[in-house]
Amino acid sequence: MVNVLLGERVSRDKGDKTDSIERQHEKHMARVAERRAAGEVINIVGVAEDRSVSGDIDFFDRPELGEWLTDERRGSWDELWMTTQDRLSRNDMHVMAFIHKMLEWDKVLVLLDDPTLDMHTPEGRAIIHVKSIGPARELERIRTRIRDSIAKRKYTEAWVGGIPPWCYTTDWGVVAGKKRRIRVLDEYSVLLAHDLRNRLIDDEDVTFKDLAWLLNDRGELTPKDLWRSRQIPPEPIKGEKWHGHGIKQHLTSLTLLGYKMETDPEDRWKRRPVADKDGKWLRVADPVFTDHEWETLQSAIKEREGKKGVKKQKSPMLGVVFCGKCNRSAYQIKNTVLRDPQFDNEGLVVVGANEELILGEDGAVAKVAKTYRYYRCNAQPKGCQGVGMVADDVESLVEQTFLEREGDQQIKTREWQEGSDNEKELKDLERRIERLREDRENGAFDNDPKYYAAKLNEYTMRKNQLEGEPKIKSGWKYSDTGVTFRQAWVGLSVDEKRRLLLRRGVRFTIHDRSTWETFIPDDWPDAA
């Protein structure tokens, strides 16, 4: 009896029948039937089905076949069958290393298109090596074509392939007189992006984790799953989830402004805009946001950097009260104590401050619960010793001090103030000069040094001119509302009061049970 493992592989599972997994399996089963008809006992121990696995992937790194090559499963099979040499591998070095291992394990490799090939003889191994060179060269030709195609289209609007950036899809267009795929806005995703932007700007307490939870709860597909669902025929949805870090990456990516991106040569994990010969960033699609919308979004994101997420159930002073020893936030601590009910002369239950009744199954009062609240240092693993105060005292002191100092001052509202045009142009010129110098160091102007000198002189003169002009930085501008803090305070909820204190920059620091201080800055934070 011969124990056979069937190996099947396809680089990209398109569902066609020319060399699909299904077609390979048909060939395998036809060969099994032939050998059984000849009287051989063939036992199929399993099928190593590697879909969407490149022929350049080492045998041991393939998801399915790699499992059968481990010490635990290798003893279950005697022969490995593959339909053709290129289904086996497109890397000649991998092939020869694998043949060496097969001989070491005393296994047999069977290629259906050449069943007489014997890897145990020098001639057979030589033939296998020669045959493996063809797929290896074909793979290199494919790679060269892809590289040439990408390089040719790098400075055009043509889409080079793959999944487009979030908020974009692809459609047919004309590039340099030829029909090409180009990036176009995806209206559904654009609306989603604007919704996320509005939430970040309108509510300073919203975190990226909050946005991820919202999108997952609504069942919004991630960019990759959305792309898969729109293919013809649709590709299987993987059920990916949104994550806060990923949302932040999306909302800070310059792809949302329509720029074409490339891998940063100095850091392969980073992306940077593609620049033309003059150092100007290449915009190949309509932007998702206007310049104003983009700048306000980035400002809102920057304000959240370094801040920890705000809990859903906020304490009345979260973000306002701090430890005087370690400078970290102090958190509200609750402690509930139960007591037996006490009755007055009329038989009614006596209920004190911060107490509530707990009823029994019969509906009668069973216990009276009193909740004690404190603000204490919550540094991990153990809070700073002695830093804590009764919550009612803290909240009363904050309110009293705040209204005494600021009660008659007007509440301010903020609006985004655009910077002067020369600020944007200055940044663009600085980028162009830096890119120009990088290109020169890389030899891009070895044959045309005059062009480099002329461009550098042009950019430098314009930069010097702009630097001499008045500068107005983009930022938030605060203006009076006509309503004082004292007037507004009465009608605000507990959380609205907390937000107002945060906006004003109020900070209450606890040093110990009897020592504290309240800080209120002279100017509103981030005021222009």
Side-chain angles (χ1 to χ4, degrees), residues 500-526:
L500 189 59
L501 293 171
L502 288 173
R503 284 182 55 201
R504 187 59 188 87
V506 177
R507 184 183 180 98
F508 185 88
T509 303
I510 302 174
H511 296 284
D512 54 44
R513 286 183 174 83
S514 58
T515 309
W516 64 86
E517 61 179 317
T518 304
F519 171 75
I520 304 175
D522 293 333
D523 297 320
W524 283 67
D526 301 325

PDB file of all heavy atoms in Angstrom, residues 500-526:
ATOM      1  N   LEU A 500     -16.946  71.679  30.628  1.00  0.00           N
ATOM      2  CA  LEU A 500     -16.649  73.102  30.661  1.00  0.00           C
ATOM      3  C   LEU A 500     -15.372  73.373  31.459  1.00  0.00           C
ATOM      4  O   LEU A 500     -14.532  74.199  31.064  1.00  0.00           O
ATOM      5  CB  LEU A 500     -17.832  73.864  31.265  1.00  0.00           C
ATOM      6  CG  LEU A 500     -17.783  75.398  31.182  1.00  0.00           C
ATOM      7  CD1 LEU A 500     -17.694  75.839  29.723  1.00  0.00           C
ATOM      8  CD2 LEU A 500     -18.994  76.007  31.854  1.00  0.00           C
ATOM      9  N   LEU A 501     -15.207  72.655  32.578  1.00  0.00           N
ATOM     10  CA  LEU A 501     -13.982  72.789  33.373  1.00  0.00           C
ATOM     11  C   LEU A 501     -12.762  72.352  32.565  1.00  0.00           C
ATOM     12  O   LEU A 501     -11.704  72.982  32.634  1.00  0.00           O
ATOM     13  CB  LEU A 501     -14.097  71.960  34.659  1.00  0.00           C
ATOM     14  CG  LEU A 501     -15.147  72.429  35.682  1.00  0.00           C
ATOM     15  CD1 LEU A 501     -15.303  71.391  36.785  1.00  0.00           C
ATOM     16  CD2 LEU A 501     -14.779  73.787  36.266  1.00  0.00           C
ATOM     17  N   LEU A 502     -12.925  71.269  31.808  1.00  0.00           N
ATOM     18  CA  LEU A 502     -11.814  70.788  30.980  1.00  0.00           C
ATOM     19  C   LEU A 502     -11.454  71.808  29.905  1.00  0.00           C
ATOM     20  O   LEU A 502     -10.271  72.071  29.650  1.00  0.00           O
ATOM     21  CB  LEU A 502     -12.178  69.446  30.340  1.00  0.00           C
ATOM     22  CG  LEU A 502     -12.233  68.228  31.261  1.00  0.00           C
ATOM     23  CD1 LEU A 502     -12.767  67.019  30.503  1.00  0.00           C
ATOM     24  CD2 LEU A 502     -10.864  67.915  31.824  1.00  0.00           C
ATOM     25  N   ARG A 503     -12.460  72.367  29.249  1.00  0.00           N
ATOM     26  CA  ARG A 503     -12.203  73.354  28.196  1.00  0.00           C
ATOM     27  C   ARG A 503     -11.474  74.570  28.758  1.00  0.00           C
ATOM     28  O   ARG A 503     -10.618  75.154  28.101  1.00  0.00           O
ATOM     29  CB  ARG A 503     -13.516  73.796  27.549  1.00  0.00           C
ATOM     30  CG  ARG A 503     -14.139  72.788  26.589  1.00  0.00           C
ATOM     31  CD  ARG A 503     -15.399  73.353  25.974  1.00  0.00           C
ATOM     32  NE  ARG A 503     -15.143  74.636  25.319  1.00  0.00           N
ATOM     33  CZ  ARG A 503     -16.085  75.539  25.044  1.00  0.00           C
ATOM     34  NH1 ARG A 503     -17.337  75.318  25.392  1.00  0.00           N
ATOM     35  NH2 ARG A 503     -15.771  76.664  24.443  1.00  0.00           N
ATOM     36  N   ARG A 504     -11.833  74.942  29.991  1.00  0.00           N
ATOM     37  CA  ARG A 504     -11.209  76.125  30.604  1.00  0.00           C
ATOM     38  C   ARG A 504      -9.834  75.813  31.177  1.00  0.00           C
ATOM     39  O   ARG A 504      -9.081  76.721  31.532  1.00  0.00           O
ATOM     40  CB  ARG A 504     -12.138  76.662  31.707  1.00  0.00           C
ATOM     41  CG  ARG A 504     -11.702  77.994  32.308  1.00  0.00           C
ATOM     42  CD  ARG A 504     -11.603  79.088  31.250  1.00  0.00           C
ATOM     43  NE  ARG A 504     -11.016  80.306  31.780  1.00  0.00           N
ATOM     44  CZ  ARG A 504      -9.702  80.543  31.823  1.00  0.00           C
ATOM     45  NH1 ARG A 504      -8.826  79.639  31.383  1.00  0.00           N
ATOM     46  NH2 ARG A 504      -9.243  81.683  32.303  1.00  0.00           N
ATOM     47  N   GLY A 505      -9.488  74.522  31.241  1.00  0.00           N
ATOM     48  CA  GLY A 505      -8.159  74.141  31.722  1.00  0.00           C
ATOM     49  C   GLY A 505      -8.050  74.062  33.229  1.00  0.00           C
ATOM     50  O   GLY A 505      -6.942  74.131  33.778  1.00  0.00           O
ATOM     51  N   VAL A 506      -9.181  73.906  33.949  1.00  0.00           N
ATOM     52  CA  VAL A 506      -9.166  73.848  35.416  1.00  0.00           C
ATOM     53  C   VAL A 506      -8.495  72.552  35.874  1.00  0.00           C
ATOM     54  O   VAL A 506      -8.755  71.480  35.331  1.00  0.00           O
ATOM     55  CB  VAL A 506     -10.600  73.935  35.977  1.00  0.00           C
ATOM     56  CG1 VAL A 506     -10.587  73.797  37.499  1.00  0.00           C
ATOM     57  CG2 VAL A 506     -11.253  75.244  35.548  1.00  0.00           C
ATOM     58  N   ARG A 507      -7.652  72.681  36.905  1.00  0.00           N
ATOM     59  CA  ARG A 507      -6.924  71.522  37.427  1.00  0.00           C
ATOM     60  C   ARG A 507      -6.930  71.594  38.955  1.00  0.00           C
ATOM     61  O   ARG A 507      -6.436  72.552  39.553  1.00  0.00           O
ATOM     62  CB  ARG A 507      -5.495  71.517  36.894  1.00  0.00           C
ATOM     63  CG  ARG A 507      -4.656  70.308  37.293  1.00  0.00           C
ATOM     64  CD  ARG A 507      -3.247  70.492  36.760  1.00  0.00           C
ATOM     65  NE  ARG A 507      -2.395  69.372  37.119  1.00  0.00           N
ATOM     66  CZ  ARG A 507      -2.118  68.350  36.332  1.00  0.00           C
ATOM     67  NH1 ARG A 507      -2.628  68.295  35.117  1.00  0.00           N
ATOM     68  NH2 ARG A 507      -1.328  67.361  36.726  1.00  0.00           N
ATOM     69  N   PHE A 508      -7.498  70.578  39.601  1.00  0.00           N
ATOM     70  CA  PHE A 508      -7.559  70.492  41.058  1.00  0.00           C
ATOM     71  C   PHE A 508      -6.579  69.407  41.494  1.00  0.00           C
ATOM     72  O   PHE A 508      -6.716  68.245  41.104  1.00  0.00           O
ATOM     73  CB  PHE A 508      -8.978  70.149  41.504  1.00  0.00           C
ATOM     74  CG  PHE A 508      -9.173  70.164  43.005  1.00  0.00           C
ATOM     75  CD1 PHE A 508      -9.521  71.328  43.661  1.00  0.00           C
ATOM     76  CD2 PHE A 508      -8.995  69.010  43.751  1.00  0.00           C
ATOM     77  CE1 PHE A 508      -9.711  71.345  45.042  1.00  0.00           C
ATOM     78  CE2 PHE A 508      -9.179  69.009  45.130  1.00  0.00           C
ATOM     79  CZ  PHE A 508      -9.537  70.187  45.781  1.00  0.00           C
ATOM     80  N   THR A 509      -5.592  69.769  42.315  1.00  0.00           N
ATOM     81  CA  THR A 509      -4.541  68.836  42.720  1.00  0.00           C
ATOM     82  C   THR A 509      -4.669  68.494  44.203  1.00  0.00           C
ATOM     83  O   THR A 509      -4.741  69.396  45.054  1.00  0.00           O
ATOM     84  CB  THR A 509      -3.149  69.430  42.449  1.00  0.00           C
ATOM     85  OG1 THR A 509      -3.053  69.767  41.065  1.00  0.00           O
ATOM     86  CG2 THR A 509      -2.056  68.431  42.799  1.00  0.00           C
ATOM     87  N   ILE A 510      -4.705  67.188  44.500  1.00  0.00           N
ATOM     88  CA  ILE A 510      -4.793  66.713  45.876  1.00  0.00           C
ATOM     89  C   ILE A 510      -3.395  66.307  46.345  1.00  0.00           C
ATOM     90  O   ILE A 510      -2.750  65.447  45.731  1.00  0.00           O
ATOM     91  CB  ILE A 510      -5.738  65.496  45.993  1.00  0.00           C
ATOM     92  CG1 ILE A 510      -7.137  65.855  45.495  1.00  0.00           C
ATOM     93  CG2 ILE A 510      -5.790  64.990  47.433  1.00  0.00           C
ATOM     94  CD1 ILE A 510      -8.090  64.669  45.434  1.00  0.00           C
ATOM     95  N   HIS A 511      -2.930  66.922  47.422  1.00  0.00           N
ATOM     96  CA  HIS A 511      -1.638  66.550  48.005  1.00  0.00           C
ATOM     97  C   HIS A 511      -1.824  65.559  49.157  1.00  0.00           C
ATOM     98  O   HIS A 511      -1.086  64.580  49.274  1.00  0.00           O
ATOM     99  CB  HIS A 511      -0.903  67.800  48.486  1.00  0.00           C
ATOM    100  CG  HIS A 511      -0.545  68.732  47.364  1.00  0.00           C
ATOM    101  ND1 HIS A 511       0.493  68.494  46.493  1.00  0.00           N
ATOM    102  CD2 HIS A 511      -1.124  69.893  46.946  1.00  0.00           C
ATOM    103  CE1 HIS A 511       0.563  69.473  45.604  1.00  0.00           C
ATOM    104  NE2 HIS A 511      -0.413  70.338  45.849  1.00  0.00           N
ATOM    105  N   ASP A 512      -2.814  65.817  50.022  1.00  0.00           N
ATOM    106  CA  ASP A 512      -3.227  64.857  51.052  1.00  0.00           C
ATOM    107  C   ASP A 512      -4.653  65.235  51.446  1.00  0.00           C
ATOM    108  O   ASP A 512      -5.288  66.073  50.791  1.00  0.00           O
ATOM    109  CB  ASP A 512      -2.265  64.874  52.257  1.00  0.00           C
ATOM    110  CG  ASP A 512      -2.069  66.249  52.867  1.00  0.00           C
ATOM    111  OD1 ASP A 512      -3.088  66.968  53.043  1.00  0.00           O
ATOM    112  OD2 ASP A 512      -0.910  66.621  53.140  1.00  0.00           O
ATOM    113  N   ARG A 513      -5.166  64.635  52.527  1.00  0.00           N
ATOM    114  CA  ARG A 513      -6.575  64.833  52.883  1.00  0.00           C
ATOM    115  C   ARG A 513      -6.925  66.289  53.196  1.00  0.00           C
ATOM    116  O   ARG A 513      -8.090  66.690  53.082  1.00  0.00           O
ATOM    117  CB  ARG A 513      -6.931  63.946  54.084  1.00  0.00           C
ATOM    118  CG  ARG A 513      -7.072  62.477  53.730  1.00  0.00           C
ATOM    119  CD  ARG A 513      -7.494  61.669  54.948  1.00  0.00           C
ATOM    120  NE  ARG A 513      -7.773  60.292  54.590  1.00  0.00           N
ATOM    121  CZ  ARG A 513      -6.858  59.351  54.456  1.00  0.00           C
ATOM    122  NH1 ARG A 513      -5.581  59.660  54.651  1.00  0.00           N
ATOM    123  NH2 ARG A 513      -7.196  58.127  54.133  1.00  0.00           N
ATOM    124  N   SER A 514      -5.934  67.074  53.601  1.00  0.00           N
ATOM    125  CA  SER A 514      -6.229  68.450  54.010  1.00  0.00           C
ATOM    126  C   SER A 514      -5.475  69.500  53.200  1.00  0.00           C
ATOM    127  O   SER A 514      -5.538  70.683  53.520  1.00  0.00           O
ATOM    128  CB  SER A 514      -5.899  68.628  55.504  1.00  0.00           C
ATOM    129  OG  SER A 514      -4.528  68.323  55.751  1.00  0.00           O
ATOM    130  N   THR A 515      -4.774  69.060  52.162  1.00  0.00           N
ATOM    131  CA  THR A 515      -3.990  70.005  51.357  1.00  0.00           C
ATOM    132  C   THR A 515      -4.333  69.824  49.884  1.00  0.00           C
ATOM    133  O   THR A 515      -4.233  68.709  49.356  1.00  0.00           O
ATOM    134  CB  THR A 515      -2.479  69.788  51.564  1.00  0.00           C
ATOM    135  OG1 THR A 515      -2.181  69.774  52.958  1.00  0.00           O
ATOM    136  CG2 THR A 515      -1.690  70.893  50.890  1.00  0.00           C
ATOM    137  N   TRP A 516      -4.703  70.911  49.255  1.00  0.00           N
ATOM    138  CA  TRP A 516      -5.065  70.872  47.840  1.00  0.00           C
ATOM    139  C   TRP A 516      -4.815  72.245  47.219  1.00  0.00           C
ATOM    140  O   TRP A 516      -4.555  73.216  47.928  1.00  0.00           O
ATOM    141  CB  TRP A 516      -6.540  70.487  47.678  1.00  0.00           C
ATOM    142  CG  TRP A 516      -7.476  71.510  48.259  1.00  0.00           C
ATOM    143  CD1 TRP A 516      -7.969  72.619  47.664  1.00  0.00           C
ATOM    144  CD2 TRP A 516      -7.999  71.517  49.588  1.00  0.00           C
ATOM    145  NE1 TRP A 516      -8.763  73.338  48.509  1.00  0.00           N
ATOM    146  CE2 TRP A 516      -8.808  72.672  49.706  1.00  0.00           C
ATOM    147  CE3 TRP A 516      -7.870  70.665  50.691  1.00  0.00           C
ATOM    148  CZ2 TRP A 516      -9.467  72.989  50.867  1.00  0.00           C
ATOM    149  CZ3 TRP A 516      -8.534  70.974  51.851  1.00  0.00           C
ATOM    150  CH2 TRP A 516      -9.329  72.122  51.944  1.00  0.00           C
ATOM    151  N   GLU A 517      -4.931  72.308  45.892  1.00  0.00           N
ATOM    152  CA  GLU A 517      -4.809  73.594  45.194  1.00  0.00           C
ATOM    153  C   GLU A 517      -5.589  73.531  43.889  1.00  0.00           C
ATOM    154  O   GLU A 517      -5.732  72.470  43.287  1.00  0.00           O
ATOM    155  CB  GLU A 517      -3.339  73.932  44.921  1.00  0.00           C
ATOM    156  CG  GLU A 517      -2.615  72.941  44.049  1.00  0.00           C
ATOM    157  CD  GLU A 517      -1.166  73.341  43.779  1.00  0.00           C
ATOM    158  OE1 GLU A 517      -0.953  74.533  43.518  1.00  0.00           O
ATOM    159  OE2 GLU A 517      -0.285  72.466  43.831  1.00  0.00           O
ATOM    160  N   THR A 518      -6.107  74.689  43.498  1.00  0.00           N
ATOM    161  CA  THR A 518      -6.869  74.785  42.246  1.00  0.00           C
ATOM    162  C   THR A 518      -6.139  75.725  41.296  1.00  0.00           C
ATOM    163  O   THR A 518      -5.809  76.850  41.667  1.00  0.00           O
ATOM    164  CB  THR A 518      -8.283  75.326  42.510  1.00  0.00           C
ATOM    165  OG1 THR A 518      -8.931  74.513  43.473  1.00  0.00           O
ATOM    166  CG2 THR A 518      -9.093  75.317  41.209  1.00  0.00           C
ATOM    167  N   PHE A 519      -5.901  75.230  40.075  1.00  0.00           N
ATOM    168  CA  PHE A 519      -5.210  76.040  39.061  1.00  0.00           C
ATOM    169  C   PHE A 519      -6.157  76.338  37.914  1.00  0.00           C
ATOM    170  O   PHE A 519      -6.816  75.440  37.373  1.00  0.00           O
ATOM    171  CB  PHE A 519      -3.985  75.296  38.532  1.00  0.00           C
ATOM    172  CG  PHE A 519      -3.345  75.965  37.343  1.00  0.00           C
ATOM    173  CD1 PHE A 519      -2.573  77.111  37.501  1.00  0.00           C
ATOM    174  CD2 PHE A 519      -3.539  75.452  36.066  1.00  0.00           C
ATOM    175  CE1 PHE A 519      -2.003  77.733  36.400  1.00  0.00           C
ATOM    176  CE2 PHE A 519      -2.967  76.071  34.958  1.00  0.00           C
ATOM    177  CZ  PHE A 519      -2.188  77.207  35.127  1.00  0.00           C
ATOM    178  N   ILE A 520      -6.250  77.615  37.535  1.00  0.00           N
ATOM    179  CA  ILE A 520      -7.030  78.041  36.372  1.00  0.00           C
ATOM    180  C   ILE A 520      -6.127  78.931  35.529  1.00  0.00           C
ATOM    181  O   ILE A 520      -5.693  79.992  36.001  1.00  0.00           O
ATOM    182  CB  ILE A 520      -8.291  78.813  36.784  1.00  0.00           C
ATOM    183  CG1 ILE A 520      -9.149  77.979  37.739  1.00  0.00           C
ATOM    184  CG2 ILE A 520      -9.099  79.209  35.549  1.00  0.00           C
ATOM    185  CD1 ILE A 520     -10.362  78.721  38.281  1.00  0.00           C
ATOM    186  N   PRO A 521      -5.798  78.538  34.306  1.00  0.00           N
ATOM    187  CA  PRO A 521      -4.881  79.339  33.485  1.00  0.00           C
ATOM    188  C   PRO A 521      -5.481  80.698  33.136  1.00  0.00           C
ATOM    189  O   PRO A 521      -6.704  80.860  33.080  1.00  0.00           O
ATOM    190  CB  PRO A 521      -4.684  78.478  32.231  1.00  0.00           C
ATOM    191  CG  PRO A 521      -5.894  77.609  32.169  1.00  0.00           C
ATOM    192  CD  PRO A 521      -6.286  77.340  33.587  1.00  0.00           C
ATOM    193  N   ASP A 522      -4.618  81.657  32.912  1.00  0.00           N
ATOM    194  CA  ASP A 522      -5.071  83.010  32.560  1.00  0.00           C
ATOM    195  C   ASP A 522      -5.795  83.020  31.218  1.00  0.00           C
ATOM    196  O   ASP A 522      -6.801  83.710  31.046  1.00  0.00           O
ATOM    197  CB  ASP A 522      -3.882  83.970  32.522  1.00  0.00           C
ATOM    198  CG  ASP A 522      -3.274  84.184  33.905  1.00  0.00           C
ATOM    199  OD1 ASP A 522      -3.997  84.039  34.905  1.00  0.00           O
ATOM    200  OD2 ASP A 522      -2.057  84.482  33.970  1.00  0.00           O
ATOM    201  N   ASP A 523      -5.257  82.267  30.242  1.00  0.00           N
ATOM    202  CA  ASP A 523      -5.859  82.212  28.907  1.00  0.00           C
ATOM    203  C   ASP A 523      -6.492  80.847  28.679  1.00  0.00           C
ATOM    204  O   ASP A 523      -6.119  79.856  29.288  1.00  0.00           O
ATOM    205  CB  ASP A 523      -4.802  82.465  27.826  1.00  0.00           C
ATOM    206  CG  ASP A 523      -4.203  83.859  27.935  1.00  0.00           C
ATOM    207  OD1 ASP A 523      -4.961  84.803  28.207  1.00  0.00           O
ATOM    208  OD2 ASP A 523      -2.973  83.973  27.754  1.00  0.00           O
ATOM    209  N   TRP A 524      -7.437  80.818  27.761  1.00  0.00           N
ATOM    210  CA  TRP A 524      -8.032  79.537  27.383  1.00  0.00           C
ATOM    211  C   TRP A 524      -6.961  78.681  26.706  1.00  0.00           C
ATOM    212  O   TRP A 524      -6.145  79.204  25.934  1.00  0.00           O
ATOM    213  CB  TRP A 524      -9.189  79.760  26.415  1.00  0.00           C
ATOM    214  CG  TRP A 524     -10.434  80.242  27.097  1.00  0.00           C
ATOM    215  CD1 TRP A 524     -10.614  81.432  27.715  1.00  0.00           C
ATOM    216  CD2 TRP A 524     -11.658  79.525  27.229  1.00  0.00           C
ATOM    217  NE1 TRP A 524     -11.873  81.514  28.228  1.00  0.00           N
ATOM    218  CE2 TRP A 524     -12.555  80.356  27.942  1.00  0.00           C
ATOM    219  CE3 TRP A 524     -12.101  78.276  26.805  1.00  0.00           C
ATOM    220  CZ2 TRP A 524     -13.850  79.971  28.247  1.00  0.00           C
ATOM    221  CZ3 TRP A 524     -13.398  77.887  27.110  1.00  0.00           C
ATOM    222  CH2 TRP A 524     -14.253  78.720  27.826  1.00  0.00           C
ATOM    223  N   PRO A 525      -6.924  77.383  26.979  1.00  0.00           N
ATOM    224  CA  PRO A 525      -5.930  76.518  26.326  1.00  0.00           C
ATOM    225  C   PRO A 525      -6.052  76.584  24.812  1.00  0.00           C
ATOM    226  O   PRO A 525      -7.156  76.612  24.262  1.00  0.00           O
ATOM    227  CB  PRO A 525      -6.298  75.114  26.845  1.00  0.00           C
ATOM    228  CG  PRO A 525      -7.041  75.367  28.126  1.00  0.00           C
ATOM    229  CD  PRO A 525      -7.776  76.654  27.920  1.00  0.00           C
ATOM    230  N   ASP A 526      -4.890  76.628  24.151  1.00  0.00           N
ATOM    231  CA  ASP A 526      -4.826  76.640  22.681  1.00  0.00           C
ATOM    232  C   ASP A 526      -5.457  77.873  22.071  1.00  0.00           C
ATOM    233  O   ASP A 526      -5.807  77.876  20.890  1.00  0.00           O
ATOM    234  CB  ASP A 526      -5.498  75.398  22.085  1.00  0.00           C
ATOM    235  CG  ASP A 526      -4.857  74.117  22.562  1.00  0.00           C
ATOM    236  OD1 ASP A 526      -3.617  74.119  22.763  1.00  0.00           O
ATOM    237  OD2 ASP A 526      -5.568  73.139  22.759  1.00  0.00           O
TER     238      ASP A 526
END
